Amino acid sequence: MKRRILLLAALALPHIARAQDKRKLRVGITLHPYYSWVANITQGAVDIVPLIEAGFDVHNYEPQPADIRRAATLDVLVMNGIGHDDFALKVLDAAEMRGKVRIIYANEGVALIPASGNPGGEKTYNPHTFISITAAIQQIFTIAAQLGEADPDNAEAYRRNARAYAARLRKLKAGYIAKLAGVTGAALNVATIHGGYDYLMQEFGLNVVAVVEPAHGLLPTASQMRGTIERIRALGVTTLFTQAQYPAQFADAIQRETGARLYTLTHITEGAYTAAKFEEGIAFDMQVIVDAVLAATGAAH
Amino acid sequence: MASTIVQPATGRQEQKFLLLAVIAVLFVCAALIGQRRAESKVQRLQSYQISAFSGLTPGEQALFNDLYAAGLEVQSVHQDGGHWLTLDELRAQGIPPFDAKDFSWQTGGLDTVNAPAVAYFGASANPGTMRSFLLVLRGQDPSGERPHVHIDVLGVGPQHKLVFNANIWVSDASKPAMPLEFDPDTLGGQGWRQAVAFKGQDAQSGTQAAGTKP
């Protein structure tokens, strides 16, 4: 009997070892959209680990000890890399994981567009590629390709899932674009409080001619506010988009001074991390844009 | 009687030291700033290229980005299924910009046995406001060699196995025809300009997009 047990154990050992080798990759993410994208690409084949807990503002985040502990468990990290999550590299350094974790820069291959509303005229790039359908699709293919390199057995499935997810996102956008079919004068000039919506506005053919925050994550001074208000008046902008997390007094002041209609968008970096988060957030923003365009063009029913 | 000269308590020495320290700090800062400036790079373009970041109108930029995303998808399908998506397939799947109004699209294959390729040509009906576009895609050469013609690598970078062999061209011509040759000299001679994306990897490396100074 003992001999039989030993024989069975010997036969099982390679399988156990292989099962351990095949443990799920632990894929860290820095922003909510990346959670959704990785979840939809991998369909449960990896463990997804948000690097920071829900509820923090990514614009002024400082690493916490718990982040460092989480970072020490990662195999892969998906991050923006061009202006929203520099804290992630600090966390990796603190956890002594730089060089050990494979970093996927989601924006590596994304075609960036200029940030709108820079009164100086100099064109800087906009890092908010995660508030967009087209730029999201570009990133989804990059993430799928590089996750496939980290996990070759699932590479084809990741590519297939990426295509299915991209198709769903395209269909989602097409539904909102269709709501504007036949609307004349849809190419509106608009203003935004936060400079995070250029990619999405461009997809809807809207021109962002003024941005209230002077630079990413900064609050405007009184003189900057006055300049923006004058610019909005001079350009005849009647539609202003603010963001749920931005201090209300700035949007309220502009609305009061210019009479522009005010709409609130989401930055898709708040709340719980879920697979559906990106679709829900971007659908919310697209509905807000559709409502704004219909109201501005007098086509609202 | 012995006399001792007492220096006035003016702090002159301290002032000198402070001045020297300030000069030293200014010198070091100036040197560091100078060094930092020298490291900033600007994206370099060839004579047949324009910047997709600064050289396209917002409408063209939106179409460029659609075409860029479509290229990634077309390549992904080709990688797994071995065929290039046709225009009918692209439209059936609602992949922009092939359903764009004011554009008529046609496709053509390229004569490269080892690196099969395809081109999608979109002729603008309103060339005054939107230029015509051309997307050229190439599959992976089984030998691992890069294609013999110049290809701007978009998407996932050359350090990875998957390389997005594509480039996007725009034409100022009022009625450009579907090109038959796709090398830069021929396309450039026909009035096509390759639109080069300013990518996340450029931003990360501290490179500045071409033509971004006011």
Side-chain angles (χ1 to χ4, degrees):
Chain A
M1 183 65 184
K2 264 187 186 172
R3 195 178 295 168
R4 195 175 293 170
I5 291 170
L6 280 173
L7 183 66
L8 280 174
L11 286 171
L13 265 176
H15 296 284
I16 292 167
R18 214 173 299 146
Q20 281 176 341
D21 287 347
K22 287 286 173 189
R23 74 169 177 80
K24 285 182 178 180
L25 283 180
R26 284 178 65 78
V27 180
I29 55 91
T30 55
L31 305 177
H32 291 67
Y34 303 152
Y35 185 98
S36 301
W37 299 347
V38 172
N40 281 280
I41 290 167
T42 59
Q43 299 284 344
V46 302
D47 289 326
I48 310 172
V49 184
L51 197 59
I52 63 174
E53 289 168 13
F56 287 99
D57 182 357
V58 294
H59 293 103
N60 48 26
Y61 185 73
E62 285 298 326
Q64 309 292 315
D67 307 337
I68 297 165
R69 285 195 293 275
R70 273 191 292 275
T73 69
L74 300 180
D75 301 302
V76 178
L77 176 66
V78 178
M79 63 181 289
N80 174 285
I82 56 169
H84 264 92
D85 49 15
D86 295 339
F87 62 83
L89 297 177
K90 290 183 199 168
V91 171
L92 287 185
D93 285 339
E96 298 183 344
M97 292 297 283
R98 186 87 82 102
K100 297 176 188 166
V101 173
R102 182 190 190 111
I103 300 178
I104 297 177
Y105 292 105
N107 283 301
E108 187 175 276
V110 171
L112 304 177
I113 66 171
S116 297
N118 187 342
E122 187 171 345
K123 290 184 177 178
T124 56
Y125 64 84
N126 193 318
H128 295 83
T129 52
F130 53 88
I131 310 176
S132 159
I133 293 285
T134 305
I137 289 172
Q138 293 176 15
Q139 291 171 86
I140 287 162
F141 280 106
T142 295
I143 294 168
Q146 295 197 30
L147 279 178
E149 289 176 13
D151 184 9
D153 289 349
N154 285 315
E156 193 173 336
Y158 293 163
R159 286 197 297 272
R160 197 171 52 243
N161 294 341
R163 288 198 296 271
Y165 188 41
R168 204 161 75 232
L169 295 178
R170 270 199 312 273
K171 196 174 174 188
L172 185 67
K173 185 176 95 172
Y176 288 99
I177 295 281
K179 292 182 182 183
L180 297 177
V183 174
T184 53
L188 286 177
N189 286 341
V190 301
T192 61
I193 294 287
H194 177 60
Y197 303 97
D198 291 343
Y199 291 90
L200 192 56
M201 296 295 171
Q202 191 185 72
E203 292 184 60
F204 279 78
L206 305 186
N207 306 315
V208 182
V209 295
V211 176
V212 174
E213 65 175 9
H216 190 209
L218 298 182
L219 298 176
T221 62
S223 67
Q224 286 167 334
M225 275 288 283
R226 191 174 61 243
T228 304
I229 288 169
E230 284 169 4
R231 188 170 164 77
I232 287 172
R233 281 185 183 144
L235 293 168
V237 174
T238 58
T239 305
L240 171 68
F241 293 95
T242 185
Q243 179 184 313
Q245 289 74 32
Y246 211 80
Q249 71 261 29
F250 297 102
D252 292 344
I254 293 174
Q255 187 184 28
R256 196 170 52 244
E257 294 296 321
T258 65
R261 290 189 189 89
L262 183 63
Y263 298 88
T264 303
L265 298 166
T266 172
H267 199 262
I268 325 182
T269 52
E270 63 285 326
Y273 293 93
T274 68
K277 177 76 185 179
F278 176 71
E279 284 163 276
E280 290 165 359
I282 205 78
F284 177 89
D285 284 348
M286 289 192 291
Q287 182 61 56
V288 170
I289 290 172
V290 166
D291 290 344
V293 172
L294 292 178
T297 55
H301 302 295
Chain B
M1 192 176 74
S3 62
T4 304
I5 299 173
V6 178
Q7 295 290 337
T10 58
R12 187 179 284 178
Q13 283 295 99
E14 286 81 353
Q15 281 180 349
K16 278 183 189 168
F17 288 133
L18 188 63
L19 193 63
L20 280 173
V22 168
I23 290 169
V25 168
L26 287 175
F27 181 77
V28 169
C29 289
L32 289 174
I33 290 168
Q35 195 180 13
R36 195 174 171 83
R37 272 191 186 163
E39 283 172 2
S40 87
K41 299 167 281 183
V42 177
Q43 195 176 25
R44 292 184 65 183
L45 300 178
Q46 304 294 322
S47 59
Y48 57 85
Q49 294 175 324
I50 59 169
S51 168
F53 186 86
S54 60
L56 301 179
T57 66
E60 290 173 337
Q61 215 163 47
L63 196 135
F64 174 91
N65 271 334
D66 278 341
L67 208 49
Y68 188 109
L72 283 165
E73 184 141 5
V74 170
Q75 178 177 273
S76 175
V77 171
H78 182 263
Q79 190 177 3
D80 288 338
H83 88 285
W84 300 110
L85 289 175
T86 65
L87 288 171
D88 284 343
E89 287 171 320
L90 289 162
R91 289 192 190 107
Q93 293 178 41
I95 296 178
F98 301 100
D99 52 356
K101 287 187 298 183
D102 303 330
F103 268 84
S104 63
W105 291 92
Q106 57 179 298
T107 184
L110 303 183
D111 181 23
T112 49
V113 175
N114 290 325
V118 70
Y120 300 90
F121 165 58
S124 171
N126 300 307
T129 52
M130 286 278 271
R131 286 173 275 189
S132 296
F133 279 75
L134 176 73
L135 167 67
V136 182
L137 279 163
R138 292 173 193 274
Q140 291 290 293
D141 185 334
S143 68
E145 298 280 322
R146 293 286 299 280
H148 66 282
V149 294
H150 172 84
I151 292 291
D152 176 48
V153 178
L154 305 179
V156 181
Q159 69 272 33
H160 304 294
K161 287 176 196 161
L162 180 69
V163 174
F164 182 33
N165 280 335
N167 48 44
I168 296 172
W169 299 75
V170 296
S171 172
D172 291 328
S174 58
K175 286 186 179 174
M178 174 80 176
L180 299 174
E181 300 282 338
F182 295 88
D183 61 280
D185 290 340
T186 305
L187 286 172
Q190 292 171 352
W192 289 94
R193 290 288 173 271
Q194 185 185 358
V196 179
F198 180 68
K199 292 166 288 199
Q201 63 191 41
D202 298 318
Q204 278 177 267
S205 69
T207 303
Q208 205 175 2
T212 50
K213 289 285 181 188

